[in-house]
Amino acid sequence: MPDEEVLEEGVLSPVQPAIQDPLLRELMADAPTTAPALAIPQEQAQPTTAPLEEVDCVVIGLGAGGAPLLARLAQAGLKVVALEAGPWHNPAKDFATDERAQDFLFWNDERLSAGGDPLAMGKNNSGTGVGGSTLHYTAYTPRPLPDDLHIKRDFDKGEDWPLTYDDLAPYYEEVEQFLGVSGPSPYPWGPSRPKGYALAPLPLNSAAQLMVRGAEKIGIRTSPAPNAALSARYYQEGVGWREACTNRGFCQAGCSNGAKASMDVTFIPLAVKYGADIRPNSFVTEIERNAQGLITAVVYTQNGQQHRQPCRNLFLCGGSVETPRLLLMNELALSSGQVGRNLMAHPGVQVWGTFADEVRPNKGIPGGLISQDTHRPKDADFAGGYLLQSIGVMPVTFSGQVARGRKLWGQPLRDYMRNFNHIAGINILGDCLPHTSNYLELSDELDARQLPKPRLHFTAQENEHRMNAHAEKVMRNIWEAAGATDIWAFNRYAHVIGTARMGLSGDDAVVDRDGRAFEVPNLYISDNSTFPSALSVNPALTIMALSLRTADKFLEREQHRDA
Amino acid sequence: MSAPHYPAGTVRALLPTAHVSDATRAALQQRLDAPADYAPQLLAPETFALLEAVAACLFPQPDRPEHPIPLAPSVDQRLAEGRADGWRYDVLPPDREAYRLGLGGIQETAQALFLNDFPTLDTQQRHHVMQAVAGGTPPGTTWQTLDAARFFEEMLAELTETYYAHPLAQEEIGYVGMADLPAWTKIGLNEKDDREIPMSE
Ligand SMILES: Cc1cc2nc3c(=O)[nH]c(=O)nc-3n(C[C@H](O)[C@H](O)[C@H](O)COP(=O)(O)OP(=O)(O)OC[C@H]3O[C@@H](n4cnc5c(N)ncnc54)[C@H](O)[C@@H]3O)c2cc1C
Ligand code: SF4
């Protein structure tokens, strides 16, 4: 386990982000830096300058899908405006080490959850603010394995990606190096890589140590996880030195010292350095088109006032619920009939156990240990596979799960919660297949903005049930081998995926492999919604890699047009 | 079962120290200092009293006879402000309506089972009523339009999270995660940083 000294040795010299696209490299060499370095951003109202002049690109949403491409477009010298519904926070000041006090990080507008397995949204799903859901993600950043991208070819179920692992690999590497991902090199699963992770792995907390203990006994390999939190100081263009993780364990709320690679301390400052115009508290409601069907402007509300921002291109990055909602509300790109369809959610069963040892599950990064040994289990009776991860937990989140999942209340609930310091958990993330009964639609119920609330229908199907059963058994075995008692499983689904999927043709997909809408040539989508299949890994790294690729492909096309 | 816990006063002693950030201290102190008397803003006084009785049943606090951790005010406040937590079971009506209907339903079930109002029932009878609601098929016409099990789950989760957000409840489970400055250094099994004082039985 690295101690202070080892960490100091791990300090890297300042790095420039490596740009994958040769064309962009050229463009960037020409484009001068247009804005001064970033001062610490504060939440503040922007002056209202009306009428707004046309810009090259508008980006809606600044999460994992929006922020990387925003930086890329700005670096290429384009005039870009980012509209983000949520505020711009100051982590050191705004992020208390308290779950309730950080409720504002979540997308708290009501969504309706229907179907046999209604999806928990809010803090189980998506965030808002400059940084989007990355403000509260656990920062697990595993890569998918190559066969994740062709589940249909291998199992004759689900859908293949119109891209291969090799198309994405250089982007994975770029994102990992830029964010300063801490992880094991070499990584034990998947193809070998030209480059190791940017930093050494973070120290294992007690839940991770227990999982190692149990997994070893039953022959499952584990490894410290790749995590986008810094195991040592790291230099960040546009920010300066980011400090190492302090083991505070509050990644699922906001990280107060910038150790976690949320977009607000990585790609967004880079974008600002290159002149991106960021408008927080700006909720987009309307997307305008001309007679040719091209997008001409977006309408948004900022601090109660309506604005119209004309643009030549639109990048829609609102996440897998708000993106299809905006498309449906504006009757945009609907001809494939796939907007809102193919809603998938990762099977995410958690198994909790009580140990004689002292665990204190709130300390250390919650995302500490990983195993991809269950990627394609030999005895599987289902398509696809899953990965295993140890989990840390904060008390309020845990108590809510105990109430819902264990159905305990009264004195038994209080008694169980008293074991908090002796409890550790493991969870999975597994592939999910699209199904006709799983989709998102607009409901008749209106929200405070007088917009229809989205309704999500989700019912786990045979494949998900079988995978869950397999995984629960494996996790129970691990915990038993590690010496746990009172083992119980919490059935849950995490991450909403696939509501505006990419594909080879507009007949059955909304966007092409470059993220460009088949139906609307100047509309691009970049977020969780474009995934054709769920992948058996956490999604954020892939969302970011796709985001950069989408920007590069767009820039290439622009270059050709200009030439 | 009596699991180890922190001695009373642990969290209060930690709050003023340099281990707690200003933002964290402010949030927790506010909860500790919440005045004991709360006038409901949305629910009618008798409905609010009913909610308090339900909360006392779901969260018995015999160890704090004088000053139980208040749970009902947080619900009333949230409903009054119209705040949501990002989602709702599609089978339930909007939150205000769900609480009004559900609390009325609990009253109805109490009447059906024990011919009395819920707050006047003894502990065991109240428990019985809640059990029926949690089970999903309690007597009472309300429950023909309101999904009892889902309503119960939602209400229980809200009260539970409110309870464990309170510094004294966190002390009870041995949680001092709020004292995270400058860093945790002992994060492995059976390791404690110095400020994590030993627990008592
Ligand atoms: C508790 C938790 C832990 C997680 N942990 C991990 C993890 O360890 N690893 C991982 O890979 N993933 C994790 N995830 C998932 C991950 O955070 C998301 O998949 C990812 O961030 C989604 O990126 P996105 O760009 O699709 O959407 P988001 O990051 O949600 O960004 C969408 C943005 O668009 C904005 N927006 C939406 N509508 C509008 C509008 N109309 N106008 C203006 N702005 C709008 C939103 O405010 C938001 O900021 C976790 C999620 C949760 C809830
Ligand atoms: S554990 Fe590390 S990365 Fe996570 S919130 Fe704490 S300091 Fe940030």
Side-chain angles (χ1 to χ4, degrees), chain B residues 106-127:
Chain B
I106 288 170
Q107 199 60 304
E108 214 185 339
T109 302
Q111 282 289 351
L113 293 176
F114 301 108
L115 305 171
N116 245 323
D117 283 351
F118 184 82
T120 60
L121 302 182
D122 65 32
T123 310
Q124 222 181 350
Q125 290 169 324
R126 287 184 186 193
H127 191 85

Side-chain angles (χ1 to χ4, degrees), chain A residues 263-287:
Chain A
M263 295 300 98
D264 61 325
V265 295
T266 53
F267 281 107
I268 290 165
L270 185 65
V272 169
K273 181 178 165 191
Y274 285 94
D277 174 357
I278 299 197
R279 303 189 190 150
N281 305 310
S282 300
F283 192 104
V284 176
T285 51
E286 269 173 68
I287 300 170

Side-chain angles (χ1 to χ4, degrees), chain A residues 60-66 83-86 106-107 122-129 131-134 136-141 252 282-285 317-320 322 326 495 526-529 538-541 543:
Chain A
I60 302 176
L62 284 180
L83 301 173
E84 165 53 52
F106 298 97
W107 187 276
K123 74 173 164 208
N124 189 50
N125 202 281
S126 39
T128 186
S133 300
T134 66
H136 62 68
Y137 77 150
T138 318
Y140 261 120
T141 44
Q252 291 179 0
S282 300
F283 192 104
V284 176
T285 51
C317 315
S320 45
E322 294 310 308
L326 272 171
H495 312 138
S526 170
D527 55 31
N528 239 350
S529 67
N538 315 58
L541 180 75
I543 300 174

Side-chain angles (χ1 to χ4, degrees), chain A residues 44-66:
Chain A
Q44 55 189 212
Q46 302 278 317
T48 54
T49 46
L52 299 162
E53 63 178 86
E54 187 182 61
V55 295
D56 295 317
C57 303
V58 160
V59 176
I60 302 176
L62 284 180

Side-chain angles (χ1 to χ4, degrees), chain A residues 410, chain B residues 50-62 71 118 123 126 159:
Chain B
L50 179 58
L51 177 60
E52 281 186 311
V54 169
C57 174
L58 295 179
F59 263 93
Q61 303 181 51
L71 302 177
F118 184 82
T123 310
R126 287 184 186 193
L159 295 172

Side-chain angles (χ1 to χ4, degrees), chain A residues 229 245-251 254-257 259-260 364-366:
Chain A
C245 169
T246 60
N247 297 321
R248 173 175 167 257
F250 255 61
C251 309
C255 180
S256 50
N257 74 353
K260 188 177 75 172
I365 51 157

